[in-house]
Amino acid sequence: MVTERGVIASPRPQDSSHISRCLWRITAPPNHRLRFTIQFYNVSELISCSESQVIIFDGLSSASNVVERFCYAKSSTVVYTRGHHMMVDMILPKNNYLDFIAVYEAVGIDKGPCPTNRSLKGMSGTLKSPNFPNNYEYDQECSWIISVPRGCHVILSFNLTDFHIHSCNTSCACDFLEVRAGTTSKGKFIGKFCGSTPPSPIYASGRDIWIRFVTDKLSNNKGFRASYKAVQNLAAECPWNKTLTAHRGFINSPRYALDYPGNMECIGESTFPRSTEWVLYF
């Protein structure tokens, strides 16, 4: 079936005595994925999962990756494919019943728990890895684009308890979170992060940040949750070779008393007469 929306249902009992299996192959338009929503699922309690189940494949054959496997599901259960193909394999029980109704529809690739370039806008917001706070799945690649209003800059922050990305080495070659300035994968590289120690708040010199979360086929973990906020330019709070001439004053890190961003270098110098001594208090 090549369509953007439709309904899948089990055959009526009086029509299915000779049917043991039903297959649907569905294709969405390019640059879309498929959302599959279960409306009703009812099967005899005497039936085991080996006798009756519904399998969702991320492709058009049983060799494709399995998105989900159901032998019972609650109404409104939702799953997404990664690509624009889906196969539904329904195994019907012998001498018993399966009542099943589901709706599928084509949605943009920016939808679902692992989106591609999902746009996040506004003065503040949050994003998280798929399934957070439960473990994320294997072999995924998700991305987000954060854009704050013109004249503002982006601060991306993490809590200590909300950052657990599997680390196999210091270069984060397995699972990782990548951050770049701008709106694409070609923007200026800001950092690549993994492990259980969250990075310092990440400050972008512009109004956009591109974020990519990648997992491998071998390991997983809890994942991450991050928050972003639009802030004013921090250049005044992090000067470069600023000369201090007053006889008395204060110096503070950017955003004090909040956490200062990482990847910043602030330099100031003081100029006083040679006979003058100066004292720095903390």
Side-chain angles (χ1 to χ4, degrees), residues 7 23 28 46 50 62 82 88 92 100 112-113 124 127 133-135 146 157 163 168 213 216 231 246 255 260 271:
V7 176
L23 287 174
L46 303 177
S50 62
S62 57
R82 299 182 190 178
V88 181
L92 299 171
F100 179 89
S124 62
L127 65 151
N134 298 315
N135 285 10
I146 297 174
S157 303
F163 192 89
C168 58
F213 178 58
D216 65 13
V231 298
R255 301 182 73 225
Y260 54 80
T271 302

Side-chain angles (χ1 to χ4, degrees), residues 125-136 144 156-166 177 193-199 213 221-228:
T126 60
L127 65 151
K128 58 185 179 180
S129 55
N131 299 330
F132 185 89
N134 298 315
N135 285 10
Y136 50 79
W144 300 262
L156 184 67
S157 303
F158 303 85
N159 289 327
L160 181 62
T161 58
D162 291 342
F163 192 89
H164 298 279
I165 299 175
H166 176 75
L177 185 71
F193 311 100
C194 62
S196 294
T197 301
F213 178 58
N221 209 320
K222 181 179 177 180
F224 74 92
R225 177 168 53 196
S227 60
Y228 67 90

Side-chain angles (χ1 to χ4, degrees), residues 248-264:
R248 182 184 180 89
F250 295 92
I251 301 172
N252 58 267
S253 57
R255 301 182 73 225
Y256 181 83
L258 301 173
D259 290 345
Y260 54 80
N263 197 32
M264 299 187 78

